[in-house]
Amino acid sequence: MGIEFENEKRIFTLQTDHTTYQFQADAYGFLLHLYYGKTVYGGMDYLLTYYDRGFSANPYDVNQDRTYSMDALPQEFPTSGTGDFRSPALTVKNSDGTYSCDLRYKSHRIINGKYSLPGLPAVYATEDEAQTLEILMEDAVTKVQAVLLYGVLPKYDIITRSVKIINQGEEKIHISKAASACLDFVSGDYDLISFYGRHAMERNFQRVPLSHGKQILRSRRGTSSHQYNPAMILAEKDTTEESGNCYAMVFVYSGCFKAEAEKDQFNQSRALMGLASELFSYPVGPGESFLIPETVLTYSAEGMSQLSQNLHRCFRNHLCRGKFKNEVRPVLVNSWEADYFNFTGESLLKLGREAAKLGIEMLVLDDGWFGERNDDNTSLGDWVVNEKKLGCTMGELIGKINDLGLKFGLWIEPEMVSEDSDLYREHPDWALQIPKRHPVRGRNQLVLDFSRKEIRDHVFDQICSVLDQGKVDYIKWDMNRSISDIYSSETKEQGKVLYDYVLGVYDFLERLLKRYPDTLIEGCSGGGGRFDAGMLYYTPQIWCSDNTDAIDRIEIQYGTSFIYPASCVGSHVSAVPNHQTGRVTSLNTRGVVAMAGTFGYELNLGLLSDKEKEEVKDQVKKFKTYAPLIQNGDYYRLSDPLKDELGAWAFVSEDRSEALVNVVMLKQHGNMTVNYVKMRGLVPEAYYRIDGHDRLYSGAALMQAGLPVPIESGEYLAYQKYLRRVEQ
């Protein structure tokens, strides 16, 4: 189906519908990368060149052949200790203190279906949708083995990579660096595209030349972080949205990561994606194994729109799980910006009554419902309902909300503990903190040691006792600080704590999903601090950012769209002046921007005017109409909001019969010039009608010439146009 093996030259070819990935186990057992790109035929080993490169070391078993050097040859899984002085994918510290691992090809097998990774998130597929290639490599001296895993999903032009390290030797080893994917290019001139940020301004688009030396993106914060997203794109210099060669690497993991890209001395390029090597030294005893989290690869010869759509389709259909992955999500109102901590049971019911009148489907109770939690300094870890504050039990509140015709959702932050809490007073050793030192605080809270099962069990039981009090249709899982004090009282191997912590989070989420399969979980970490493919395996939507300002959100959602589908982007209409920026935008503009995601509200509905309430009713109806298209359609970026006078994007159905075009004016000037938005993804020879208008437009005209944006007085005006193909 997607994997071929040519026995004579030992060449492996991974074919998808539009791409070829090829590598070779050569005569010495080294695994050499040959090609990744647009579909080709035949062996690509002719691309390998051999010259005597001064100061490039040669493996001992090539004898006097100075033309053979791992320092110059492209590789599938480069390791430390082979004479390759570029960045390795794997570094192993052996029991004698040496850093050396020389892996050679031993065998392989091809399996129908997609491999899975016990305890870790991964892309999944059935036997008729994917194939798996397993390559067994071994170090002849230490007997350390590496099983290289390749998953091929032809329909999506997706190749996944992971590695299982097995210690078949007699001594403990430590893994100090582990990447699951390496791309080596013998030629080409690339730009590196990454997504940097900070709290409340995540995933900013950055494109810079890949230059000599090493460029590193990483998180050392215990999570994938607001600062750098665990994804990157290599694009040839002339690549645009519609044309050019580009490659994406996305890490399916929610903890510390490192992405590296470098141009070497011979103008070759290498890109790596894997675990962060800082604060990491994982012990693997005899007979034990270690899994490196998965990296998703995709390639497009038709520019970055196609690259993004490959990822979007894969993540929607083969990473997100459960009943909600393809369902339209309920329109909700969250209590946070309506009341913050200052709610009561009656104020929540009042918010619910307003929501029900407007067609909103769910009320979410955010932070402040447990312990003595009236600010963010106390009670995390004490997951006991504050019935005095609510004026009733949680079950009674849920019943009253349900009686209004609304679903009910609840905010939790299971990984955290306040020093001012019963849990911390009883179990201070359950928090991650270094002995004999004062802990580093973040938001006046500490982090529970989720690498320990008994701690996870305690928190899980407490939270379930609350969830079991009524029908909770939605959980918002938050995580509001970075991890700084890396010490667990239960192990002497502190270099394993952060990895085991993430496995603990995944274990907790998996148990929650199994116990409550009909509950939608939304991920959150101060907004977008853990917005990654790993979390999508458990939470099919993630709160995009704590910044709900519509204009900032255009930039945040623009960067997010390069990797992640709109169906997973938590996005709400909030109050004005905006609580983060003070900016004032119209309700229409806020609605158009929020509809590029799961859609909801984050404000006090009772403060809206009658006119605004009617507008909210209309927005809810529109979203429910357009939601299947937004959730499952192909996403097109129609402008660059970092440079252009407007932000524009569109959703186009797979059969090209309908489209939703969205435009927000970002700049306004005197004697304004006309902007034209050019559509993409339509059928050129077909005709389309804009909803509410009689005129027909050819797909070719809309894509080549575009639609003029009206010149109107006002700031941040927004327009939304629904197009339907007319059958003739």
Side-chain angles (χ1 to χ4, degrees), residues 111-135:
I111 310 162
N112 288 333
K114 165 68 170 58
Y115 65 83
S116 59
L117 301 175
L120 282 168
V123 168
Y124 60 88
T126 62
E127 289 190 0
D128 60 347
E129 293 174 320
Q131 279 189 308
T132 291
L133 171 63
E134 293 184 0
I135 306 282

Side-chain angles (χ1 to χ4, degrees), residues 385 387 393-396 398-399 464-472:
V385 179
E387 296 180 0
T393 68
M394 182 63 76
E396 289 169 339
I398 295 172
C464 287
S465 69
V466 176
L467 299 178
D468 289 344
Q469 293 183 31
K471 191 175 187 309
V472 178

Side-chain angles (χ1 to χ4, degrees), residues 308-418:
S308 296
Q309 289 165 15
N310 291 348
L311 292 171
H312 295 175
R313 292 167 185 155
C314 176
F315 290 170
R316 279 200 311 262
N317 298 302
H318 292 277
L319 186 62
C320 294
R321 297 180 298 159
K323 65 174 290 185
F324 295 99
K325 77 171 191 175
N326 292 318
E327 280 192 8
V328 173
R329 317 288 162 67
V331 177
L332 63 85
V333 60
N334 187 293
S335 70
W336 183 241
E337 289 193 19
D339 285 315
Y340 292 99
F341 291 105
N342 304 315
F343 59 81
T344 63
E346 183 50 45
S347 71
L348 292 170
L349 289 172
K350 183 178 180 182
L351 183 62
R353 284 190 286 269
E354 292 287 351
K357 294 175 186 176
L358 302 178
I360 293 170
E361 299 163 291
M362 178 188 291
L363 182 139
V364 176
L365 172 53
D366 210 280
D367 196 356
W369 56 265
F370 54 92
E372 300 297 325
R373 183 80 164 174
N374 295 309
D375 55 38
D376 59 7
N377 297 311
T378 181
S379 298
L380 288 170
D382 295 343
W383 300 104
V384 179
V385 179
N386 187 336
E387 296 180 0
K388 181 179 178 182
K389 187 173 186 177
L390 294 183
C392 60
T393 68
M394 182 63 76
E396 289 169 339
L397 175 65
I398 295 172
K400 293 174 183 178
I401 295 297
N402 292 161
D403 288 344
L404 297 173
L406 298 176
K407 299 177 185 292
F408 182 82
L410 194 65
W411 177 97
I412 58 175
E413 193 173 4
E415 300 161 71
M416 297 295 142
V417 63
S418 302

Side-chain angles (χ1 to χ4, degrees), residues 19 74 152 200 208 214 220 395 412 421 460 519 525 570 680 710:
T19 74
V152 182
V208 297
K214 186 190 299 184
R220 293 178 288 195
I412 58 175
S421 68
F460 185 83
T519 299
S525 179
R680 307 234 325 277

